[in-house]
Amino acid sequence: MAKQTNKNGLEGLGVLRAVVEAGSFMGAGEALGLTQPAVSRSIGRLEARIGVRIFQRSARSIALTDEGGRFYESIAPHLRAIEEATNEAGRSLAKVRGRLRVNVDPGTAQFVLMPRLGPFMAMHPELFVELAVRDRIGDLIRDGIDVAVRLGNPEPSALKARLLMHTRVVTCASPEYLEQHGTPRRPLDLEKHRCVLMRDPTTGSHFGWVFVRGKDVVPVNVKGQIMVNHFGPMLAACLAGQGIAQFSHLHVREALAHGQLVQVLPGWADETYPLYALYHSAQNMSAKIRAFVDYVVAITQDEAGGAAPRRASRRGVFRDNRGARAADK
């Protein structure tokens, strides 16, 4: 009930301003798209609420009373400020500017967004982008996040989820590691190798490894002396020859192209994970969010290497940096 009262109060003040500027109830009604009786009723409700008669009415004219004149003089500056704030909000919806907060997983931040953000910033010089690089998506509303770009199937929520692409899961090692320890020829050979493991925050253990070739699915009980909870240390350990690790191809394609890493068991790499953009309802979406989402769509569509047919993960789970593990469809 209080919200309705506040709403009606603001509407009544707007009608009051229109009557003063038009000099009549009829003129105010024409300016506001209301009938003359509707304007009169609105003014009557305002007078009843504040306990002051605002207008002297006659058959041919109206005039502010002394009390009404003083009341209007006191609120007029605030009405102008409200109007200016409303106009400013409307301009913000139409113009790409201000602060944009983006939640993104570490690998996507380092290898997808940051190398390609320059042209976007040049197109929008009034925009300030803040990247919140996190292993987990968290609560976008509570954290004040405008949009997220995350690997993995999103959990059900009120957020709008836009699929950007699918990327293969690749198993990699450094040339030095393979030279010293040999190259696995089949998935179960990995049980004899050192692996760099990614911690599952829900269990405290590491994420399981599964290898997919067509309809064949082989789970492997990998082991290792190193477990991390972040993409960066996992990549550093793999590059340093400390073990075999699994990555999104999107994040290691350059290391593979330059020979820093070698893909292991490339014939068993049919598992894919999706990359999504997540944001609040598209209704009244601000220009800055719309522009950023459109740009991310464009740059991910340009990704050729590692893009794969839309084939879901066979193990069906993926939490944030190795996915918000969700059931296969």
Side-chain angles (χ1 to χ4, degrees), residues 132-195:
V133 181
R134 300 174 182 174
D135 290 326
R136 309 196 71 174
I137 189 170
D139 187 326
L140 298 192
I141 296 176
R142 183 189 62 199
D143 297 340
I145 300 295
D146 297 301
V147 59
V149 181
R150 309 290 310 188
L151 272 174
N153 294 306
E155 297 179 356
S157 73
L159 295 174
K160 173 71 175 178
R162 181 164 182 175
L163 178 64
L164 300 172
M165 66 177 297
H166 282 79
T167 180
R168 291 189 187 277
V169 176
V170 293
T171 306
C172 302
S174 70
E176 293 77 15
Y177 176 90
L178 296 177
E179 183 178 353
Q180 183 176 355
H181 299 280
T183 300
R185 302 299 176 188
R186 57 193 183 97
L188 291 180
D189 289 347
L190 286 166
E191 295 183 352
K192 301 176 183 178
H193 282 263
R194 296 202 311 261
C195 296

Side-chain angles (χ1 to χ4, degrees), residues 108-121 123 250 253-254 295 298-300 302-304:
T108 301
Q110 183 173 349
F111 294 103
V112 180
L113 290 186
M114 293 309 297
R116 296 165 177 80
L117 207 54
F120 177 73
M121 302 307 298
M123 286 189 292
L250 196 62
R253 63 188 187 278
E254 292 185 7
Y295 187 74
I299 63 175
T300 51
D302 288 341
E303 298 289 349

Side-chain angles (χ1 to χ4, degrees), residues 278-322:
L278 300 104
Y279 46 91
H280 308 296
S281 171
Q283 184 178 9
N284 296 329
M285 183 192 296
S286 67
K288 62 184 179 182
I289 296 177
R290 190 179 304 279
F292 181 79
V293 171
D294 288 346
Y295 187 74
V296 172
V297 168
I299 63 175
T300 51
Q301 286 179 347
D302 288 341
E303 298 289 349
R310 295 182 59 175
R311 184 180 303 159
S313 166
R314 295 297 180 127
R315 60 191 130 167
V317 285
F318 191 87
R319 291 188 194 281
D320 294 318
N321 204 21
R322 277 288 307 280

Side-chain angles (χ1 to χ4, degrees), residues 16-31 62:
L16 171 59
R17 181 180 180 182
V19 172
V20 172
E21 292 180 349
S24 69
F25 287 178
M26 180 179 293
E30 292 175 353
I62 62 170

